């Protein structure tokens, strides 16, 4: 449709594909605790679930390849004395997981090798923690591993603090103090900065090693919880929250100027559930999943704005959502993201987001390098101020079934492609300039009287100005200077359409006394000739006078200048104007006579109507008298 433009994007047609119930993870007892958390976490091998258990807190670890209805009794990860609130997988070790509980402790666990939910034992054996991190005085609500350094864990607590742990030694060395309960936290790509949101409606950006915030400012103004996620290697932050009118909002923040979001808050809808943001740095897409609704929106980040792509719609509401790291996707089916959502607190459904393509080869444009399993530094190096981004892996090697190939990573995202510049040594043909062709003279409808009058006055004024200018120029030039012969006008052009008059000076005819030859001569203007009026300018030239016999044969006679070439059509116009005026006068006289005749006829009709009405009244009175006489007799 004209006027509509479609933004170009590789992910514009991404769609979410649900999974059949037989391929879901069924018969699961998800925790019903009201703490705001995602409830589940996933990595390429396992899926962790906050479990509804008695006798203390516990969570379950489900291998991704064991789908369907799970057994009634599972091997649980037990050790906490209160309900488990959050879990997180190590980005560099798929068997290492951390948990936070309402008992104020954080535990580190290692998944047993060859873990399976289906065993022949009467009672499955529970898993014990590998180490315990003790230091918070109240519940531990969030746990999050550092994305760049190995064995560095952040835990947030109800005591308004976030502690940084070296899980290899079990000690804490850094503490970030808040003024209220922390609602969400997210690391930067190099692990040096952190963003947090809290119940005091403040957005804080921390320099973690300095233990102080570099920015503290207002976030979402609503009373409900807000979330924040660092947008990978960008210096941008995405937040979700609520307005004062309880409308769900999306915000994009620049960490260098975080006083207010870029372009203000975008209103999403009026749903009441907390919106959980998930950022995919390889595709530059943001996924939003709301608690209590079954839809998942996804946006593409481009030109410092979120461009809406599409939405996965489902009638089944969700309480918890987790996204799989990119190295665990099914690349052969062009899967760019996979989500796991809880349904009715009794089963988990995988949702695959797929780019619809028919190609049977690796699609490198939608699969850029992704973070691998090797950290950029050790925990000790990070606590000493180290910085870096982990090496990435090429997914093409994973597509071919080979060992992942590492690719060095830098701090900045790849710049957009620049337009190609033509080499100066390359011969490029110059564009051919088109020579304007004179348009043919076409005869159109005759101009109106006003146009004719104005055009005549303009032409006259142009000739007067031209004569004045030439009189000044010719004072210093010779009177015998030759000019080019005027162009002959054909009889057809003279009698036909009007030819535009060139701004040429009047040419006087210089004739020899013997009359044998005529040649144009330059007219020398005099003060009297420059002051001529319009009537003198266009006056018909008088015939040339014959030279006297006493004049010398070599003498020449300068006659008055004749009108410029092209005056005959103007004289014809004047004749036409006169004839048009005469015709208009005759028409107006005929119209006046006709108006008089019509006026007299109208008066005559009025007189007849008045007489007829009088006769009618007398006739009626006579009939009434006759009727009365007949009744009396």
């Amino acid at each position: 449709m004209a006027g509509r433009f479609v933004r170009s994007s590789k992910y514009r047609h991404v769609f979410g594909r649900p999974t059949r119930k037989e391929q879901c993870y069924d018969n699961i007892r998800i925790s019903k605790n009201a703490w705001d958390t995602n409830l589940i976490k996933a990595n390429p091998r396992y899926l962790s679930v906050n479990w509804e258990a008695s006798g203390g807190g516990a969570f379950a670890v489900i291998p991704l390849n064991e789908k369907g209805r799970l057994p009634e009794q599972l091997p649980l990860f037990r050790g906490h004395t209160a309900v488990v609130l959050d879990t997180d997988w190590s980005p560099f070790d798929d068997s290492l997981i951390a948990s936070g509980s309402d008992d104020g402790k954080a535990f580190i666990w290692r998944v047993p090798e060859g873990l399976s939910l289906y065993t022949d034992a009467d009672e499955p054996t529970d898993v014990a923690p590998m180490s315990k991190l003790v230091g918070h005085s109240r519940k531990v609500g969030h746990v999050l591993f550092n994305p760049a350094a190995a064995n560095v864990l952040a835990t947030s607590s109800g005591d308004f603090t976030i502690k940084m742990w070296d899980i290899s030694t079990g000690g804490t060395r850094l503490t970030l103090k808040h003024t209220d309960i922390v609602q969400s936290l997210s690391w930067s790509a190099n692990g040096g900065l952190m963003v947090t949101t809290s119940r005091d409606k403040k957005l804080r950006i921390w320099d973690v090693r300095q233990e102080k915030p570099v920015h503290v400012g207002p976030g979402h103004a609503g009373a409900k919880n807000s979330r924040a996620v660092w947008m990978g290697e960008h210096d941008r932050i995405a937040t979700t929250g609520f307005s004062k009118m309880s409308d769900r909002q999306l915000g994009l923040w620049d960490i260098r100027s975080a006083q207010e979001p870029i372009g203000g808050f975008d209103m999403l809808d009026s749903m009441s559930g907390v919106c959980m943001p998930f950022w995919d740095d390889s595709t530059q897409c943001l996924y939003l999943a709301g608690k209590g609704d079954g839809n998942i929106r996804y946006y593409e980040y481009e030109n410092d704005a979120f461009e809406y792509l599409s939405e996965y719609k489902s009638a089944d509401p969700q309480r918890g959502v987790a996204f799989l790291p990119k190295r665990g996707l099914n690349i052969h089916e062009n899967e760019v993201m996979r989500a796991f959502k809880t349904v009715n607190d009794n089963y988990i459904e995988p949702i695959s987001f797929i780019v619809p393509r028919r190609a049977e080869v690796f699609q490198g444009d939608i699969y850029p390098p992704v973070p691998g399993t090797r950290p950029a530094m050790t925990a000790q190096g990070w606590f000493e101020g180290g910085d870096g981004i982990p090496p990435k892996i090429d997914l093409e090697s994973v597509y071919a079934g080979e060992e992942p190939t590492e690719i060095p990573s830098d701090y900045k995202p790849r710049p957009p492609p620049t337009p190609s510049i033509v080499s100066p040594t390359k011969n490029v043909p110059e564009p051919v300039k088109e020579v304007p062709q004179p348009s043919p003279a076409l005869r159109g409808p005759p101009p109106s009287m006003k146009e004719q009058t104005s055009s005549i006055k303009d032409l006259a004024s142009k000739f007067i100005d031209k004569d004045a200018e030439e009189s000044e120029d010719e004072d210093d030039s010779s009177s015998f200077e030759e000019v080019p012969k005027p162009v002959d006008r054909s009889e057809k052009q003279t009698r036909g359409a009007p030819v535009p008059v060139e701004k040429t000076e009047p040419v006087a005819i210089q004739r020899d006394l013997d009359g044998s030859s005529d040649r144009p001569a330059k007219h020398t203007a005099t003060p009297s000739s420059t002051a001529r009026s319009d009537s003198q300018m266009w006056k018909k030239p008088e015939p040339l006078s014959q030279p006297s016999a006493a004049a010398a044969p070599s003498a020449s006679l300068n006659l008055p200048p004749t009108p410029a070439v092209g005056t005959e059509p103007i004289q014809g116009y004047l004749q036409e104007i006169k004839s048009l005026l005469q015709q208009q006068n005759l028409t107006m006289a005929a119209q006046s006579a006709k108006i008089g005749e019509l006026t007299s006829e109208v008066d005559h009709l009025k007189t007849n109507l008045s007489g007829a009405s009088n006769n009618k009244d007398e006739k009626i009175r006579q009939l009434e008298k006759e009727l009365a006489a007949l009744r009396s007799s």
Side-chain angles (χ1 to χ4, degrees), residues 53-316:
S54 59
F59 67 94
V61 173
I62 304 172
L64 292 185
N65 57 356
E66 297 186 4
K67 301 178 181 179
R69 185 174 179 83
L70 304 182
E72 294 295 332
Q73 293 184 350
L74 303 177
L76 298 179
F77 287 64
R78 294 182 181 271
H80 289 288
T81 58
V83 62
V84 174
L85 300 179
D86 193 23
T87 59
D88 190 46
W89 293 98
S90 170
F92 311 113
D93 189 350
D94 291 340
S95 299
L96 192 65
I97 186 172
S99 64
S101 172
D102 206 358
D103 59 7
K105 299 180 179 64
F107 289 175
I108 306 299
W109 314 73
R110 181 167 293 279
V111 179
E113 190 67 28
L115 174 69
S116 177
L117 304 181
Y118 301 93
T119 61
D120 297 334
D122 295 336
E123 292 184 3
T125 303
D126 293 335
V127 180
M130 186 176 64
S131 62
K132 300 180 180 180
L133 307 178
V134 181
H136 289 291
S137 60
R138 303 189 67 179
K139 64 181 179 182
V140 177
H142 301 92
V143 291
L144 189 64
F145 277 97
N146 189 297
N151 300 327
V152 176
L153 179 70
T155 60
S156 69
S157 172
D159 57 7
F160 307 160
T161 63
I162 296 179
K163 292 183 179 296
M164 305 298 160
W165 304 82
D166 182 355
I167 63 175
S168 59
T169 61
T172 177
R173 298 169 57 179
L174 301 174
T175 302
L176 310 181
K177 297 181 179 179
H178 292 69
T179 59
D180 212 327
I181 294 179
V182 176
Q183 295 175 341
S184 70
L185 63 157
S186 180
W187 290 97
S188 62
N190 60 1
L193 300 175
M194 175 179 284
V195 58
T196 62
T197 61
S198 58
R199 200 165 57 182
D200 59 3
K201 304 176 185 178
K202 299 291 185 181
L203 179 71
R204 292 177 173 85
I205 301 174
W206 297 83
D207 186 348
V208 182
R209 268 75 63 92
Q210 299 296 326
E211 297 184 87
K212 61 181 181 180
V214 295
H215 167 77
V216 179
H220 296 269
K224 298 181 181 180
N225 287 6
S226 61
R227 298 282 191 97
V229 61
W230 203 290
M231 295 170 56
E233 299 180 20
H234 293 286
D235 53 359
R236 298 289 187 270
I237 297 169
T239 62
T240 59
F242 293 83
S243 66
K244 290 183 178 180
M245 304 302 294
S246 296
D247 295 325
R248 288 200 292 198
Q249 295 176 328
L250 171 64
L252 175 64
W253 306 76
D254 184 356
I255 64 173
R256 297 183 180 87
S257 177
Q259 287 76 19
E260 58 183 10
I262 300 173
F265 290 109
D266 294 331
M267 192 184 77
L268 300 175
D269 51 37
S270 299
M271 301 290 288
S272 59
V274 175
C275 200
M276 298 173 283
F278 300 91
W279 171 253
D280 181 14
D281 198 39
S282 61
T283 61
Q284 304 294 300
C285 291
L286 178 71
Y287 295 80
L288 302 181
K291 287 191 174 184
D293 54 276
N295 303 341
I296 299 178
R297 300 182 181 92
Y298 38 102
Y299 301 78
E300 185 176 9
Y301 175 69
E302 188 178 39
N303 298 327
D304 238 4
F306 289 119
E307 301 291 344
Y308 176 77
L309 291 176
S310 186
E311 180 178 10
Y312 168 78
K313 296 183 179 181
S314 172
D316 300 324

Side-chain angles (χ1 to χ4, degrees), residues 512-530:
D512 294 338
L513 293 178
D514 55 358
S516 60
S517 63
D518 297 339
R519 66 178 183 274
K522 190 73 175 180
H523 173 63
T524 303
T526 60
S528 60
S529 64
T530 57

Side-chain angles (χ1 to χ4, degrees), residues 596-607:
E597 293 178 0
L598 293 174
T599 303
S600 61
E601 186 175 354
V602 170
D603 295 339
H604 179 67
L605 291 174
K606 288 181 179 180
T607 305

Side-chain angles (χ1 to χ4, degrees), residues 18-35:
T19 306
R20 297 193 308 270
K21 185 68 177 293
E22 303 82 43
Q23 298 297 320
C24 296
Y25 305 92
D26 199 359
N27 194 23
I28 293 178
R29 293 185 291 273
I30 299 176
S31 174
K32 294 180 174 57
N33 190 274
W35 176 251

